[in-house]
Amino acid sequence: MTSQHPAPGDARPGGRTARNTAAVLQATLDELGERDYGAITVDSVAARSGVHKATVYRRWGGVDGLVRAALEHSTERHWEPELTGSLYTDLLRLVETVTSGFTEAPEREVSAAAVAAAFESEEVAEALRRFMADRHRRAAVIVTEAIARGEAPRGTDAEEVVRSAIAPVYYRLLISREPVTADDLRRAASVTATAAADGAFVGTPGPPAP
């Protein structure tokens, strides 16, 4: 079910409004990377972006709307997974990219802060779900290419393979707060590639045989 009216910040006009929108959304991401979610205010975003706070309130309604719009804006940025010609190495490059996004990349603070903010705001959580769904969809080409090469059977759920590969990485990064080693990444890619080749992601899994 969709609304007939755009949510605050959904419009995409050109000219000065487009520049202001880009400035506000980037300022929101910058604030998210530097502060706890609860410390972000419309005033701080407005000051950072140079856009009057009345305009920010009118278009985005508040901090939840700002973060939601900023995350949705991030889905518009170009990203495609690296394709190497092998399911295992493609998955390995993917989990390396995910790890870098939380540990080394310039946006690493924003990545972790967005996950934390999703626990405080259902609006942000929904935006994060859409962002992740977009990334899963884009990464699925890794698996569709593997199916075409015969590395995984037809009917394999490509996005579920992606989730399986990155799940151990997210667990270490965000839950147990353990270091993620090169061996961890190789294991995640290898286990998932082997399971995919064995047909583990075809159809609906049932209970294990007794």
Side-chain angles (χ1 to χ4, degrees), residues 106-144:
E107 70 275 11
R108 60 188 181 277
E109 290 89 356
V110 175
S111 299
V115 174
F119 284 92
E120 300 188 42
S121 164
E122 180 54 36
E123 189 171 355
V124 175
E126 179 56 32
L128 183 61
R129 284 191 287 270
R130 287 195 292 269
F131 175 84
M132 294 304 299
D134 173 76
R135 288 297 185 263
H136 294 157
R137 178 184 57 78
R138 296 190 197 196
V141 67
I142 289 172
V143 186
T144 57

Side-chain angles (χ1 to χ4, degrees), residues 7-10 20-32 37 40-47 49 51-53 55-74 121 123-124 127:
D10 281 352
N20 284 347
T21 297
V24 168
L25 298 184
Q26 186 58 54
T28 301
L29 290 173
D30 291 342
E31 287 285 296
L32 189 62
Y37 176 73
I40 301 174
T41 66
V42 170
D43 283 10
S44 66
V45 171
S49 67
V51 176
H52 196 280
K53 67 179 180 180
T55 300
V56 177
Y57 273 116
R58 183 171 63 251
R59 289 201 58 202
W60 289 279
V63 173
D64 280 5
L66 281 166
V67 176
R68 175 188 65 81
L71 287 175
E72 291 176 349
H73 177 67
S74 296
S121 164
E123 189 171 355
V124 175

